[in-house]
Short mmCIF file of all heavy atoms in Angstrom, two decimals:
data_model
loop_
_atom_site.label_atom_id
_atom_site.label_comp_id
_atom_site.label_asym_id
_atom_site.label_seq_id
_atom_site.Cartn_x
_atom_site.Cartn_y
_atom_site.Cartn_z
N ASP S 10 -30.05 -69.13 27.30
CA ASP S 10 -30.81 -68.71 26.12
C ASP S 10 -30.06 -68.80 24.80
O ASP S 10 -30.60 -69.32 23.82
CB ASP S 10 -31.31 -67.29 26.31
CG ASP S 10 -32.29 -67.14 27.45
OD1 ASP S 10 -32.11 -67.82 28.48
OD2 ASP S 10 -33.22 -66.33 27.32
N TYR S 11 -28.85 -68.31 24.74
CA TYR S 11 -28.15 -68.21 23.47
C TYR S 11 -27.04 -69.23 23.31
O TYR S 11 -26.10 -69.02 22.54
CB TYR S 11 -27.65 -66.79 23.25
CG TYR S 11 -28.78 -65.83 22.99
CD1 TYR S 11 -29.33 -65.06 24.00
CD2 TYR S 11 -29.33 -65.72 21.71
CE1 TYR S 11 -30.38 -64.20 23.76
CE2 TYR S 11 -30.38 -64.87 21.46
CZ TYR S 11 -30.91 -64.11 22.49
OH TYR S 11 -31.96 -63.25 22.23
N TYR S 12 -27.15 -70.32 24.02
CA TYR S 12 -26.22 -71.43 23.88
C TYR S 12 -26.92 -72.62 23.26
O TYR S 12 -28.03 -72.98 23.65
CB TYR S 12 -25.66 -71.85 25.24
CG TYR S 12 -24.72 -70.87 25.87
CD1 TYR S 12 -25.19 -69.84 26.65
CD2 TYR S 12 -23.34 -71.01 25.70
CE1 TYR S 12 -24.32 -68.94 27.24
CE2 TYR S 12 -22.47 -70.12 26.29
CZ TYR S 12 -22.96 -69.08 27.06
OH TYR S 12 -22.10 -68.20 27.66
N ALA S 13 -26.27 -73.23 22.30
CA ALA S 13 -26.65 -74.58 21.90
C ALA S 13 -26.11 -75.56 22.94
O ALA S 13 -25.16 -75.25 23.67
CB ALA S 13 -26.08 -74.91 20.53
N VAL S 14 -26.72 -76.72 23.03
CA VAL S 14 -26.31 -77.71 24.02
C VAL S 14 -26.25 -79.09 23.38
O VAL S 14 -27.13 -79.46 22.60
CB VAL S 14 -27.28 -77.73 25.22
CG1 VAL S 14 -26.90 -78.84 26.20
CG2 VAL S 14 -27.28 -76.38 25.94
N ARG S 15 -25.22 -79.81 23.73
CA ARG S 15 -25.09 -81.18 23.29
C ARG S 15 -25.05 -82.12 24.49
O ARG S 15 -24.36 -81.83 25.48
CB ARG S 15 -23.82 -81.38 22.44
CG ARG S 15 -23.65 -82.81 21.93
CD ARG S 15 -22.46 -82.98 21.00
NE ARG S 15 -22.67 -82.40 19.69
CZ ARG S 15 -23.39 -82.95 18.71
NH1 ARG S 15 -23.99 -84.12 18.90
NH2 ARG S 15 -23.51 -82.32 17.56
N TRP S 16 -25.77 -83.21 24.38
CA TRP S 16 -25.67 -84.31 25.33
C TRP S 16 -24.59 -85.27 24.87
O TRP S 16 -24.49 -85.60 23.69
CB TRP S 16 -26.99 -85.07 25.46
CG TRP S 16 -28.01 -84.42 26.33
CD1 TRP S 16 -29.05 -83.64 25.93
CD2 TRP S 16 -28.11 -84.51 27.75
NE1 TRP S 16 -29.78 -83.24 27.01
CE2 TRP S 16 -29.23 -83.76 28.14
CE3 TRP S 16 -27.35 -85.16 28.74
CZ2 TRP S 16 -29.62 -83.64 29.48
CZ3 TRP S 16 -27.74 -85.03 30.06
CH2 TRP S 16 -28.86 -84.28 30.41
N PHE S 17 -23.80 -85.72 25.84
CA PHE S 17 -22.75 -86.71 25.62
C PHE S 17 -22.99 -87.88 26.57
O PHE S 17 -23.70 -87.77 27.56
CB PHE S 17 -21.37 -86.14 25.91
CG PHE S 17 -20.95 -85.00 25.02
CD1 PHE S 17 -21.39 -83.71 25.28
CD2 PHE S 17 -20.11 -85.22 23.95
CE1 PHE S 17 -20.99 -82.66 24.47
CE2 PHE S 17 -19.71 -84.17 23.14
CZ PHE S 17 -20.15 -82.89 23.40
N ARG S 18 -22.36 -88.98 26.26
CA ARG S 18 -22.32 -90.09 27.21
C ARG S 18 -20.96 -90.76 27.15
O ARG S 18 -20.27 -90.71 26.13
CB ARG S 18 -23.44 -91.10 26.96
CG ARG S 18 -23.35 -91.85 25.65
CD ARG S 18 -24.59 -92.73 25.47
NE ARG S 18 -24.55 -93.49 24.23
CZ ARG S 18 -25.56 -94.22 23.78
NH1 ARG S 18 -26.70 -94.29 24.47
NH2 ARG S 18 -25.44 -94.88 22.63
N GLN S 19 -20.59 -91.38 28.25
CA GLN S 19 -19.32 -92.07 28.33
C GLN S 19 -19.52 -93.37 29.11
O GLN S 19 -19.85 -93.34 30.29
CB GLN S 19 -18.26 -91.20 29.00
CG GLN S 19 -16.87 -91.81 28.94
CD GLN S 19 -15.79 -90.80 29.32
OE1 GLN S 19 -16.05 -89.86 30.07
NE2 GLN S 19 -14.60 -91.01 28.81
N ALA S 20 -19.32 -94.46 28.41
CA ALA S 20 -19.39 -95.77 29.03
C ALA S 20 -18.03 -96.12 29.62
O ALA S 20 -17.00 -95.58 29.20
CB ALA S 20 -19.82 -96.82 28.01
N PRO S 21 -17.99 -97.02 30.60
CA PRO S 21 -16.71 -97.40 31.20
C PRO S 21 -15.70 -97.88 30.17
O PRO S 21 -16.01 -98.73 29.33
CB PRO S 21 -17.08 -98.52 32.17
CG PRO S 21 -18.51 -98.25 32.51
CD PRO S 21 -19.12 -97.70 31.25
N GLY S 22 -14.51 -97.31 30.21
CA GLY S 22 -13.46 -97.69 29.28
C GLY S 22 -13.61 -97.15 27.88
O GLY S 22 -12.78 -97.46 27.02
N LYS S 23 -14.63 -96.35 27.64
CA LYS S 23 -14.88 -95.80 26.31
C LYS S 23 -14.68 -94.30 26.30
O LYS S 23 -14.71 -93.64 27.34
CB LYS S 23 -16.31 -96.12 25.86
CG LYS S 23 -16.66 -97.59 25.85
CD LYS S 23 -15.91 -98.33 24.77
CE LYS S 23 -16.38 -99.78 24.69
NZ LYS S 23 -15.65 -100.53 23.63
N GLU S 24 -14.47 -93.75 25.12
CA GLU S 24 -14.37 -92.31 24.98
C GLU S 24 -15.75 -91.67 25.02
O GLU S 24 -16.76 -92.31 24.71
CB GLU S 24 -13.66 -91.95 23.68
CG GLU S 24 -12.20 -92.34 23.65
CD GLU S 24 -11.47 -91.75 22.47
OE1 GLU S 24 -12.11 -91.15 21.60
OE2 GLU S 24 -10.23 -91.89 22.42
N ARG S 25 -15.78 -90.42 25.39
CA ARG S 25 -17.02 -89.67 25.41
C ARG S 25 -17.60 -89.55 24.01
O ARG S 25 -16.88 -89.27 23.05
CB ARG S 25 -16.77 -88.29 26.01
CG ARG S 25 -18.00 -87.44 26.18
CD ARG S 25 -17.62 -86.10 26.81
NE ARG S 25 -17.19 -86.28 28.20
CZ ARG S 25 -16.24 -85.56 28.78
NH1 ARG S 25 -15.60 -84.62 28.08
NH2 ARG S 25 -15.93 -85.77 30.05
N GLU S 26 -18.90 -89.77 23.90
CA GLU S 26 -19.59 -89.79 22.62
C GLU S 26 -20.70 -88.74 22.62
O GLU S 26 -21.54 -88.73 23.51
CB GLU S 26 -20.20 -91.17 22.37
CG GLU S 26 -21.08 -91.27 21.14
CD GLU S 26 -21.89 -92.54 21.08
OE1 GLU S 26 -22.17 -93.13 22.15
OE2 GLU S 26 -22.25 -92.96 19.96
N GLY S 27 -20.71 -87.86 21.62
CA GLY S 27 -21.80 -86.93 21.47
C GLY S 27 -23.01 -87.64 20.90
O GLY S 27 -22.91 -88.33 19.88
N ILE S 28 -24.18 -87.47 21.53
CA ILE S 28 -25.35 -88.23 21.10
C ILE S 28 -26.51 -87.36 20.62
O ILE S 28 -27.35 -87.84 19.86
CB ILE S 28 -25.84 -89.18 22.20
CG1 ILE S 28 -26.21 -88.42 23.48
CG2 ILE S 28 -24.79 -90.25 22.49
CD1 ILE S 28 -26.94 -89.26 24.49
N SER S 29 -26.58 -86.11 21.04
CA SER S 29 -27.71 -85.28 20.65
C SER S 29 -27.36 -83.81 20.82
O SER S 29 -26.57 -83.45 21.68
CB SER S 29 -28.95 -85.62 21.48
OG SER S 29 -30.09 -84.91 21.01
N CYS S 30 -27.99 -82.98 19.99
CA CYS S 30 -27.74 -81.55 19.99
C CYS S 30 -29.05 -80.80 19.81
O CYS S 30 -29.95 -81.26 19.10
CB CYS S 30 -26.78 -81.19 18.85
SG CYS S 30 -26.71 -79.44 18.40
N ILE S 31 -29.14 -79.65 20.46
CA ILE S 31 -30.23 -78.72 20.20
C ILE S 31 -29.64 -77.33 20.03
O ILE S 31 -28.80 -76.90 20.82
CB ILE S 31 -31.30 -78.77 21.31
CG1 ILE S 31 -32.51 -77.90 20.94
CG2 ILE S 31 -30.74 -78.37 22.67
CD1 ILE S 31 -33.74 -78.19 21.79
N THR S 32 -30.06 -76.64 18.97
CA THR S 32 -29.52 -75.32 18.71
C THR S 32 -30.03 -74.30 19.73
O THR S 32 -30.95 -74.57 20.50
CB THR S 32 -29.88 -74.86 17.30
OG1 THR S 32 -31.30 -74.89 17.13
CG2 THR S 32 -29.24 -75.76 16.26
N TYR S 33 -29.44 -73.13 19.73
CA TYR S 33 -29.76 -72.15 20.77
C TYR S 33 -31.21 -71.73 20.77
O TYR S 33 -31.77 -71.42 21.81
CB TYR S 33 -28.84 -70.92 20.65
CG TYR S 33 -29.19 -69.98 19.52
CD1 TYR S 33 -30.05 -68.90 19.73
CD2 TYR S 33 -28.66 -70.15 18.25
CE1 TYR S 33 -30.37 -68.03 18.71
CE2 TYR S 33 -28.98 -69.29 17.22
CZ TYR S 33 -29.83 -68.24 17.45
OH TYR S 33 -30.15 -67.37 16.43
N TYR S 34 -31.84 -71.74 19.58
CA TYR S 34 -33.24 -71.35 19.47
C TYR S 34 -34.17 -72.55 19.51
O TYR S 34 -35.39 -72.39 19.53
CB TYR S 34 -33.49 -70.55 18.19
CG TYR S 34 -33.14 -71.28 16.91
CD1 TYR S 34 -34.09 -72.02 16.23
CD2 TYR S 34 -31.85 -71.22 16.39
CE1 TYR S 34 -33.77 -72.68 15.06
CE2 TYR S 34 -31.53 -71.89 15.23
CZ TYR S 34 -32.48 -72.62 14.56
OH TYR S 34 -32.16 -73.28 13.39
N GLY S 35 -33.62 -73.75 19.50
CA GLY S 35 -34.41 -74.96 19.60
C GLY S 35 -35.05 -75.43 18.30
O GLY S 35 -35.81 -76.40 18.30
N GLY S 36 -34.73 -74.77 17.19
CA GLY S 36 -35.36 -75.09 15.94
C GLY S 36 -34.76 -76.27 15.20
O GLY S 36 -35.34 -76.76 14.24
N ARG S 37 -33.61 -76.71 15.64
CA ARG S 37 -32.96 -77.84 14.99
C ARG S 37 -32.36 -78.75 16.04
O ARG S 37 -31.74 -78.29 17.00
CB ARG S 37 -31.87 -77.35 14.03
CG ARG S 37 -31.37 -78.44 13.10
CD ARG S 37 -30.42 -77.86 12.08
NE ARG S 37 -29.09 -77.67 12.63
CZ ARG S 37 -28.14 -76.92 12.08
NH1 ARG S 37 -28.40 -76.26 10.96
NH2 ARG S 37 -26.96 -76.81 12.65
N THR S 38 -32.57 -80.02 15.84
CA THR S 38 -31.99 -81.03 16.72
C THR S 38 -31.33 -82.10 15.88
O THR S 38 -31.66 -82.27 14.70
CB THR S 38 -33.06 -81.68 17.62
OG1 THR S 38 -34.06 -82.30 16.80
CG2 THR S 38 -33.72 -80.64 18.51
N ASP S 39 -30.40 -82.82 16.46
CA ASP S 39 -29.83 -83.96 15.79
C ASP S 39 -29.50 -85.04 16.80
O ASP S 39 -29.41 -84.78 18.00
CB ASP S 39 -28.62 -83.59 14.91
CG ASP S 39 -27.42 -83.10 15.70
OD1 ASP S 39 -26.92 -83.83 16.58
OD2 ASP S 39 -26.95 -81.99 15.41
N TYR S 40 -29.33 -86.26 16.29
CA TYR S 40 -29.10 -87.42 17.13
C TYR S 40 -28.14 -88.36 16.43
O TYR S 40 -28.16 -88.51 15.21
CB TYR S 40 -30.41 -88.18 17.39
CG TYR S 40 -31.50 -87.33 17.98
CD1 TYR S 40 -32.37 -86.61 17.17
CD2 TYR S 40 -31.65 -87.24 19.36
CE1 TYR S 40 -33.36 -85.81 17.71
CE2 TYR S 40 -32.64 -86.45 19.91
CZ TYR S 40 -33.50 -85.74 19.09
OH TYR S 40 -34.48 -84.96 19.63
N VAL S 41 -27.33 -89.01 17.22
CA VAL S 41 -26.51 -90.06 16.67
C VAL S 41 -27.43 -91.24 16.30
O VAL S 41 -28.49 -91.43 16.89
CB VAL S 41 -25.42 -90.49 17.69
CG1 VAL S 41 -26.02 -91.19 18.87
CG2 VAL S 41 -24.35 -91.32 17.03
N SER S 42 -27.03 -92.01 15.30
CA SER S 42 -27.91 -93.04 14.77
C SER S 42 -28.38 -94.04 15.83
O SER S 42 -29.52 -94.51 15.77
CB SER S 42 -27.19 -93.80 13.65
OG SER S 42 -26.93 -92.95 12.55
#
């Protein structure tokens, strides 16, 4: 309930990349371009 969550992805040989976020209340989201 009170955690924001971010999705990440990691391709082979690449560093982990943050791609999307949702705030704890769900009112704000963001995305990598």
Side-chain angles (χ1 to χ4, degrees):
D10 297 36
Y11 289 97
Y12 290 86
V14 176
R15 181 175 287 281
W16 281 97
F17 297 81
R18 66 185 181 187
Q19 188 167 27
K23 303 292 185 180
E24 292 190 353
R25 184 179 291 145
E26 173 192 26
I28 59 169
S29 186
C30 164
I31 186 165
T32 56
Y33 76 92
Y34 59 92
R37 193 173 79 196
T38 60
D39 66 57
Y40 305 88
V41 69
S42 295

